[in-house]
């Protein structure tokens, strides 16, 4: 297993290229199951999760080939329909829950699918009841069998679906189910994330009729068929936000190339409240860590609120800001696993229910720390950038799921960081 070794003390100065968004690429790859021809995506991030989704599409019978450029991928349906397998196996779904996103497209196009229940993960139980409730509302028969979800419906029909909470992949699964259904589907209390808007954009490029994406009410008029497309994937706002925190903490000056400010409004507002300079430029977002960092309170919410995927990174920022910051994690029930690791680096953090109280301003010191989930791992790397001496982050396979070549990108702007074997 790999580890990452970081030596603290260097400012980050220069330009970091932001990769395509993981949480857009995964639903978009699943959406490629819908059209009758080969679709091509550009600006695909080089991530383990994308590799896993590619393996799943191949398992279903689709051809998945690297395109002309390094970050392009072409997905083509099997020439012989007999080669299609409508089953997503446990071994793939358990490594990456977003595999569950093939359910909607398969039922929409082929009338049935058998997908392993994703099960929980480090940050929470991650139920899928909303995905299934929506499919049942569209007329599907849903059976749970030996850890698998079996969904059948000759032809889905449009329905009004009121989600109990704005689930991102739940919304995405149901959008992909609805595009080929008979009639109109309305998803109320829909997720408003930019990645949901990106999926609607691509579905409409395929010939679907999706409106309202980005608002709490999405309407889909079913169509008979969809055409293959070519599309460049939006930049990863969470990768950009992660590097923004790193630049701020090291008192650096970094251009996040390709990042879009409109995707990060809540994060930018909090960075500015913390005393960080953030300026939109033609090439992206420039972040300067100039003066003293100020303590800020964070409450994670569905978009456009502060994203849960930036909570761990902001906790590290809070550790550097003199005073008390209160962080409230409202989305997932177990997303504080970075806390004990940060405390081993000298952080002063108290967990009380869903809140984490951070007393910042103390110098962190390097040590060996354990990555537990994707964003927690990123927060430990950021902590290592400012900690005294060396920090070893173990089990970095968590990091590789969601950050492309993180050590190369950070080293290119001055970080003392390298990858090694544990
Ligand atoms: C997506 O996960 C993202 N993953 C997550 O990013 C992100 O943290 C999350 O949305 C919230 O923004 C992808 O897009 C691939 P949810 P998702 O369904 O869709 C509850 C990362 O680090 N819920 O919006 O699985 C659920 O328990 C990852 O990149 C139900 O109760 O999250 C949670 O409390 C981590 N029933 C809340 O909703 C359901 O059927 C939000 O979960 C579905 C969800």
């Amino acid at each position: 297993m790999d580890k990452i070794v970081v030596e603290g003390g260097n400012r980050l100065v220069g330009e970091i290229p932001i990769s395509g968004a993981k949480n857009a690429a995964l639903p978009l790859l699943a959406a490629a199951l819908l059209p009758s021809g080969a679709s091509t995506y550009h600006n695909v991030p080089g991530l383990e999760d994308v590799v896993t989704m590619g393996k799943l599409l191949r398992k279903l019978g689709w051809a998945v080939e690297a395109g002309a450029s390094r970050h392009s991928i072409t997905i083509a349906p099997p020439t012989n329909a007999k080669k299609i397998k409508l089953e997503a196996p446990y071994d793939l779904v358990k490594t990456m829950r977003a595999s569950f996103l093939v359910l909607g497209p398969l039922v929409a196009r082929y009338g049935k699918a058998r997908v392993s229940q994703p099960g929980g993960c480090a940050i929470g139980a991650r139920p899928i009841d909303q995905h299934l409730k929506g499919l049942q509302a569209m007329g599907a028969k849903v059976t749970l069998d030996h850890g698998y979800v079996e969904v059948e419906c000759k032809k889905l029909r449009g329905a009004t679906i009121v989600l109990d909470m704005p689930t991102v992949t739940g919304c995405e699964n149901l959008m992909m189910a609805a595009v080929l259904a008979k009639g109109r589907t309305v998803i109320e209390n829909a997720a408003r994330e930019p990645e949901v808007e990106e999926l609607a954009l691509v579905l409409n490029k395929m010939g679907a009729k999706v409106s309202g994406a980005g608002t709490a009410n999405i309407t889909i008029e079913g169509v008979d068929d969809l055409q293959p497309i070519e599309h460049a994937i939006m930049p990863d706002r969470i990768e950009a936000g992660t590097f923004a925190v790193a630049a701020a903490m090291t008192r650096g000056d970094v251009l996040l190339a390709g990042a879009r400010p409109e995707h990060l409004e809540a994060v930018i507002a909090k960075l500015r409240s913390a005393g960080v300079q953030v300026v939109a430029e033609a090439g992206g977002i420039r972040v300067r860590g100039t003066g003293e960092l100020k303590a800020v309170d964070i409450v994670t919410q569905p978009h456009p609120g502060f994203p849960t995927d930036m909570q761990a990174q902001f906790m590290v920022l809070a550790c550097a800001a003199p005073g008390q910051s209160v962080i409230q994690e409202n989305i997932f029930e177990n997303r504080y696993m970075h806390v004990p690791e940060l405390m081993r680096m000298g952080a002063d953090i108290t967990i009380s229910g869903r809140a984490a109280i951070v007393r910042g301003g103390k110098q962190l010191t390097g040590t060996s720390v354990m990555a537990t989930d994707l964003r927690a791992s990123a927060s430990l790397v950021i902590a290592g950038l400012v900690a005294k001496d060396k920090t070893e982050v173990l089990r970095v396979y968590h990091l590789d799921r969601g950050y492309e070549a993180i050590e190369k990108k950070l080293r290119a702007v001055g970080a003392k960081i390298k990858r090694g074997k544990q």
Side-chain angles (χ1 to χ4, degrees):
M1 274 195 275
D2 286 1
K3 66 180 177 182
I4 280 186
V5 182
V6 196
E7 194 164 341
N10 283 18
R11 291 181 68 226
L12 301 187
V13 179
E15 184 172 315
I16 299 181
I18 299 303
S19 299
K22 168 178 83 79
N23 290 349
L26 297 174
L28 292 180
L29 288 180
L33 295 169
L34 288 162
S36 45
S39 292
T40 297
Y41 290 116
H42 301 291
N43 199 33
V44 179
L47 301 172
E48 278 310 305
D49 274 7
V50 170
V51 171
T52 304
M53 185 61 95
K55 279 183 195 155
L56 175 55
L57 297 183
R58 284 196 192 95
K59 202 122 182 148
L60 298 171
W62 271 249
V64 180
E65 310 293 336
S69 92
R70 201 165 68 87
H71 286 100
S72 290
I73 194 170
T74 294
I75 299 151
T79 42
N80 173 356
K82 290 193 177 62
K83 288 214 177 98
I84 294 176
K85 289 185 193 58
L86 300 173
E87 173 159 334
Y90 176 65
D91 64 319
L92 281 176
V93 180
K94 80 173 180 335
T95 51
M96 188 198 53
R97 343 171 1 80
S99 312
F100 204 66
L101 283 165
V102 301
L103 182 64
L106 291 177
V107 177
R109 191 146 175 231
Y110 299 97
K112 65 179 179 178
R114 179 177 154 83
V115 179
S116 167
Q117 284 184 257
C121 75
I123 63 177
R126 312 289 293 272
I128 49 160
D129 56 298
Q130 302 296 305
H131 301 237
L132 305 182
K133 179 181 95 168
L135 288 167
Q136 284 169 321
M138 296 168 81
K141 180 170 165 284
V142 174
T143 325
L144 301 184
D145 167 51
H146 294 86
Y148 278 73
V149 177
E150 292 193 350
V151 182
E152 271 196 81
C153 182
K154 202 159 170 42
K155 180 76 175 170
L156 291 169
R157 56 173 193 281
T160 293
I161 302 162
V162 184
L163 294 174
D164 293 356
M165 79 292 295
T167 155
V168 176
T169 50
C171 200
E172 290 165 346
N173 234 336
L174 295 171
M175 285 162 73
M176 292 190 280
V179 289
L180 291 175
K182 188 164 177 39
R184 169 179 298 178
T185 298
V186 179
I187 302 174
E188 296 185 6
N189 197 20
R192 301 168 55 186
E193 272 71 3
E195 292 77 17
V196 173
E197 287 189 81
E198 178 88 345
L199 175 62
L201 176 72
V202 168
L203 291 172
N204 286 339
K205 275 172 115 171
M206 291 177 174
K209 293 196 174 82
V210 183
S211 57
T215 76
N217 287 289
I218 299 176
T219 301
I220 302 115
E221 300 292 349
V223 295
D224 295 332
D225 200 3
L226 294 169
Q227 303 311 315
I229 47 92
E230 189 163 350
H231 179 75
I233 296 174
M234 64 182 268
D236 194 315
R237 62 195 171 98
I238 304 301
E239 184 195 26
T242 303
F243 289 133
V245 170
M249 294 196 64
T250 59
R251 298 201 181 322
D253 182 343
V254 173
L255 176 69
L256 305 170
R260 292 187 203 156
E262 67 273 21
H263 293 163
L264 279 164
E265 287 175 353
V267 172
I268 290 171
K270 281 296 172 185
L271 283 168
R272 287 174 173 155
S273 305
V276 181
Q277 260 190 41
V278 183
V279 179
E281 292 188 357
I285 303 173
R286 181 170 296 281
V287 179
R288 289 191 187 91
T290 47
E292 189 79 338
L293 286 170
K294 298 188 198 88
V296 289
D297 293 342
I298 300 287
V299 177
T300 66
Q301 297 287 355
H303 195 80
F306 189 91
T308 173
D309 292 348
M310 282 297 302
Q311 178 257 107
Q313 301 89 315
F314 256 74
M315 189 175 286
V316 183
L317 192 76
C319 292
Q324 177 175 291
S325 301
V326 179
I327 293 173
Q328 177 97 0
E329 171 54 61
N330 291 322
I331 307 296
F332 291 112
E333 64 269 29
N334 186 33
R335 205 167 198 177
Y336 285 141
M337 283 170 298
H338 42 289
V339 171
E341 299 305 307
L342 290 172
M343 290 171 75
R344 296 186 59 249
M345 297 178 74
D348 180 351
I349 306 169
T350 308
I351 304 288
S352 165
R354 280 202 175 248
I357 296 109
V358 182
R359 281 166 289 276
K362 301 173 184 69
Q363 169 69 49
L364 298 178
T365 53
T367 182
S368 291
V369 288
M370 184 79 73
T372 49
D373 65 274
L374 171 54
R375 309 303 175 181
S377 322
S379 73
L380 297 175
V381 170
I382 298 174
L385 291 171
V386 297
K388 198 165 169 305
D389 304 326
K390 279 186 183 175
T391 300
E392 264 193 347
V393 183
L394 309 176
R395 295 191 185 178
V396 290
Y397 57 85
H398 291 291
L399 257 182
D400 295 335
R401 293 190 48 184
Y403 290 91
E404 183 175 7
I406 190 167
E407 76 279 6
K408 291 194 181 84
K409 292 189 177 183
L410 287 170
R411 195 163 47 239
V413 289
K416 266 191 256 171
I417 183 170
K418 63 181 189 309
R419 184 182 285 257
K421 288 294 172 203
Q422 265 180 230

